[in-house]
Amino acid sequence: MARGGLTRLTGNVGGPDCDDDDCPNVYRTKDGAFVIQGPLSDTFTPPDGEGLVEIPEQVLREAVRALGW
């Protein structure tokens, strides 16, 4: 899926000092699912086809505000 097909919910206000494409972010798909971008985590080994990322709490809070929840 191209990034252009996603709605970016975070990275628009405040947040860590980083470039637009390399920060932890939350995106929403046209179907209402979420895509999370962040540093890979090695907390445990997920099942095949899945991955783990770490994302700061402030990024999730920003996503919730963007959705009006």
Side-chain angles (χ1 to χ4, degrees):
M1 171 186 300
R3 191 179 302 195
L6 302 172
T7 300
R8 186 174 175 173
L9 300 175
T10 58
N12 299 314
V13 295
D17 183 24
C18 53
D19 295 332
D20 287 342
D21 293 337
D22 68 355
C23 296
N25 280 299
V26 177
Y27 299 87
R28 193 162 197 191
T29 68
K30 291 178 182 176
D31 296 332
F34 296 95
V35 176
I36 308 297
Q37 173 187 348
L40 292 177
S41 174
D42 61 2
T43 307
F44 64 90
T45 303
D48 287 343
E50 295 184 6
L52 304 173
V53 298
E54 294 183 12
I55 189 161
E57 180 180 337
Q58 69 189 31
V59 174
L60 292 178
R61 288 181 182 274
E62 184 180 348
V64 168
R65 279 192 299 272
L67 291 167
W69 292 353

